[in-house]
Amino acid sequence: MNLFKLSLIGVLLSLCCAASYAQTDGGDRDSIQTVAGTLSIVRVEHVKTDGVTFNASLNGAQFDQLYGSRYTYYTDSTGTDKPATRIVVEDFIGGFSDTPSVSLYDFRKKPPVVLPISNKLDVDDIRWSDSAVLLSANGSWYSFAGKKLARSKPPKKSAQ
């Protein structure tokens, strides 16, 4: 009986960890390889008067600013050796109790762009397609494509 419980716990843990590559809690300094170069997200030494707590730069040039005490990001790359073409960033501006500001960094565009998605979603899961980003929040699915966010059907199960 104990062996069965341990086996079951092991299987559940391996299933949970299998998808953990998709989400990363940002630290004080992150470097992410993208198809457009290196994206660096660095905590500022002193919070600026406008509230900036993190600067995001692409190949050393200013790209975006984050205002929260922490951030989380999801990349579309399937492995550590493959550069990301898109990244979804959650900026926790109001702390842990408020929903984060969510943006899409699209490195497929020339020049790369930051597209605001929503400030009302707390993302649980993300699925990528060539034309859209599917986001799960509070049991509902949304599609972000062409600078527009719309309710969506849940994605079909896929072998990952």
Side-chain angles (χ1 to χ4, degrees), residues 93-156:
I93 296 170
F96 292 100
S97 61
D98 292 338
T99 55
S101 173
V102 182
S103 299
L104 172 67
Y105 294 178
D106 192 344
F107 301 102
R108 301 173 302 172
K109 306 279 186 192
K110 303 287 187 226
V113 296
V114 178
L115 301 170
I117 294 175
S118 174
N119 60 359
K120 297 179 189 240
L121 295 179
D122 192 359
V123 176
D124 299 320
D125 192 10
I126 291 186
R127 303 294 164 91
W128 305 93
S129 75
D130 290 338
S131 60
V133 179
L134 299 172
L135 305 110
S136 171
N138 298 322
S140 297
W141 282 91
Y142 301 87
S143 174
F144 182 74
K147 300 182 183 180
K148 293 184 180 179
L149 182 68
R151 274 205 115 126
S152 175
K153 293 180 182 179
K156 294 179 182 176

Side-chain angles (χ1 to χ4, degrees), residues 36-73:
T38 302
L39 176 72
S40 299
I41 303 174
V42 179
R43 181 181 292 278
V44 297
E45 286 187 32
H46 302 288
V47 176
K48 297 183 179 181
T49 56
D50 62 356
V52 171
T53 54
F54 292 92
N55 282 319
S57 60
L58 183 60
N59 297 322
Q62 182 70 35
F63 185 68
D64 192 19
Q65 295 178 318
L66 305 176
Y67 295 86
S69 59
R70 70 182 184 94
Y71 64 93
T72 299
Y73 65 90

